[in-house]
Amino acid sequence: MRQAMAEAEVGDDVMGEDPTVNELQKIAAEMFGMEASLFVPSGTMSNLIAVMVHCRERGDEMIVGDLSHLHIYEQGGSAQLAGVHATTVTTRPDGTFNLMQLEAKIRHGYPDPHYPRTRLICVENTHNIQGGRVLPLPFLQEVRALADRYGLSVHLDGARVMNAAVALDVPPSTILQHTHTVSVCLSKGLGSPVGTLLAGPQDFISRAVRCRKALGGGMRQAGVLAAAGKLSLQQMIGRLGEDHHNARTFALALLDCEPSLFVVDMSAVETNILRFRIKDSALSPQEFCARMGQVGVGEEAALGQGVQVLMYPHHENSIRAVWHLGISPEDTQLAIKKMQFVAAQLLNKQVKAQ
């Protein structure tokens, strides 16, 4: 990938003249089943651009899941920078939401001056906070049918939509046929250092170019980054199943751990994100993650080496662990040994306290 970046043919992408960027955008549009795509620096910017284009007037409204990345982790940029109001629907454990509740959130009073105008429905696939859940295709189909009925657009935050496609064993276009636009990250499991692709109809992308420029996302010789993105789309998608397998391997090890310390819903382990909980309230997610991330006393003697595993205290007192290109099956086995070591430490501490 670094060699491809170093050898990339470049031009001025702000002027549409970078051949590597243009080729990446063409590859992505064809893969996604969209008319056109646009290379942007980040997923947060990509989602914001989508909101800005779909919701063309200040005070327009979008409907988002209350646990969506766009709503929780993007600093309220849609309101802060685009003047777009968000109303939320309840995110269910599988990342979907109730369609009756969704329909009830749609405003019907326009141009009544009291209310915003509903323009957009946003969905997320795979769903980050809910642990990498894959949205069922029938759900997406029903959301799109509802949107079409009321003249609304559907945007998919598909940062990890390639993980969803691999989990469902379908091409990404099968998922994306139910959305008007999509944002797809080239980093994360796909391995690029930088970049996201925003895709949709040609007129949407034409307006998106203007928004990207306004947000400071116009890059000049961006082909050095797009070259990495090309490799991500052409060579990295097939290996995402390895991440899914590694996540499941670790999840099963949590359930087999003695003493029985962890709670895992195996039906929710669908892709590369694992959420789990600790049964013993005496051990907080913060303390567990701290212990996993540092080399403990006696660890090198017990395991043959020190192992540092980075995890994250997460939503609703859970712990979040994510597998990606840089985590091998061998790394996963080391993480399992470290987890078992930390669990044994906790047991010894409890025994001494009795």
Side-chain angles (χ1 to χ4, degrees), residues 275-295:
R275 278 183 64 199
F276 62 96
R277 291 178 172 80
I278 300 173
K279 292 181 181 179
D280 192 335
S281 59
L283 181 63
S284 70
Q286 290 77 12
E287 183 183 352
F288 177 79
C289 291
R291 289 187 180 212
M292 291 291 288
Q294 62 192 19
V295 177

Side-chain angles (χ1 to χ4, degrees), residues 139-254:
F139 168 75
L140 291 172
Q141 187 175 9
E142 291 175 324
V143 169
R144 176 60 183 266
L146 182 64
D148 288 346
R149 193 182 316 149
Y150 291 103
L152 307 179
S153 296
V154 178
H155 173 67
L156 174 64
D157 177 358
R160 297 179 178 86
V161 73
M162 294 306 184
N163 293 88
V166 169
L168 293 173
D169 194 23
V170 299
S173 57
T174 298
I175 297 172
L176 301 178
Q177 66 180 317
H178 304 302
T179 71
H180 294 90
T181 58
V182 64
S183 172
V184 181
C185 281
L186 295 169
S187 56
K188 304 180 171 67
L190 294 181
S192 282
V194 178
T196 290
L197 286 156
L198 177 63
Q202 183 61 62
D203 63 334
F204 170 89
I205 294 299
S206 296
R207 295 198 301 272
V209 171
R210 291 183 56 82
C211 294
R212 182 185 69 175
K213 181 66 174 175
L215 295 174
M219 299 179 286
R220 297 293 178 178
Q221 285 70 40
V224 292
L225 300 176
K230 283 174 55 183
L231 279 179
S232 289
L233 292 184
Q234 293 173 331
Q235 298 184 23
M236 300 297 182
I237 296 172
R239 61 149 306 279
L240 292 176
E242 300 173 21
D243 297 336
H244 301 179
H245 177 76
N246 290 336
R248 192 167 184 84
T249 297
F250 189 86
L252 289 169
L254 289 173

Side-chain angles (χ1 to χ4, degrees), residues 31-287:
M31 181 179 290
F32 302 162
M34 300 284 184
E35 290 182 2
S37 76
L38 182 68
F39 184 54
V40 301
S42 72
T44 295
M45 181 182 287
S46 183
N47 281 335
L48 177 56
I49 290 171
V51 171
M52 291 172 71
V53 176
H54 285 301
C55 303
R56 282 165 267 175
E57 298 179 21
R58 294 183 67 82
D60 280 349
E61 184 173 75
M62 63 177 181
I63 304 173
V64 298
D66 62 343
L67 297 182
S68 66
H69 192 281
L70 201 155
H71 186 61
I72 300 290
Y73 293 125
E74 299 180 16
Q75 206 186 106
S78 297
Q80 183 181 166
L81 301 174
V84 174
H85 183 258
T87 190
T88 62
V89 289
T90 302
T91 304
R92 297 193 290 202
D94 65 352
T96 66
F97 27 79
N98 182 282
L99 293 174
M100 292 180 64
Q101 185 189 29
L102 172 63
E103 187 170 14
K105 291 284 185 172
I106 298 172
R107 311 273 187 170
H108 301 291
Y110 186 84
D112 187 315
H114 294 89
Y115 308 111
R117 181 180 184 178
T118 306
R119 291 275 197 179
L120 178 65
I121 299 170
C122 297
V123 291
E124 183 178 333
N125 194 15
T126 63
H127 200 284
N128 183 0
I129 282 184
Q130 298 295 37
R133 299 303 299 269
V134 179
L135 299 188
L137 291 176
F139 168 75
L140 291 172
Q141 187 175 9
E142 291 175 324
V143 169
R144 176 60 183 266
L146 182 64
D148 288 346
R149 193 182 316 149
Y150 291 103
L152 307 179
S153 296
V154 178
H155 173 67
L156 174 64
D157 177 358
R160 297 179 178 86
V161 73
M162 294 306 184
N163 293 88
V166 169
L168 293 173
D169 194 23
V170 299
S173 57
T174 298
I175 297 172
L176 301 178
Q177 66 180 317
H178 304 302
T179 71
H180 294 90
T181 58
V182 64
S183 172
V184 181
C185 281
L186 295 169
S187 56
K188 304 180 171 67
L190 294 181
S192 282
V194 178
T196 290
L197 286 156
L198 177 63
Q202 183 61 62
D203 63 334
F204 170 89
I205 294 299
S206 296
R207 295 198 301 272
V209 171
R210 291 183 56 82
C211 294
R212 182 185 69 175
K213 181 66 174 175
L215 295 174
M219 299 179 286
R220 297 293 178 178
Q221 285 70 40
V224 292
L225 300 176
K230 283 174 55 183
L231 279 179
S232 289
L233 292 184
Q234 293 173 331
Q235 298 184 23
M236 300 297 182
I237 296 172
R239 61 149 306 279
L240 292 176
E242 300 173 21
D243 297 336
H244 301 179
H245 177 76
N246 290 336
R248 192 167 184 84
T249 297
F250 189 86
L252 289 169
L254 289 173
L255 290 179
D256 291 340
C257 179
E258 293 294 341
S260 179
L261 186 61
F262 305 102
V263 178
V264 184
D265 178 4
M266 289 304 301
S267 67
V269 187
E270 296 180 316
T271 57
N272 65 319
I273 301 177
L274 170 64
R275 278 183 64 199
F276 62 96
R277 291 178 172 80
I278 300 173
K279 292 181 181 179
D280 192 335
S281 59
L283 181 63
S284 70
Q286 290 77 12
E287 183 183 352

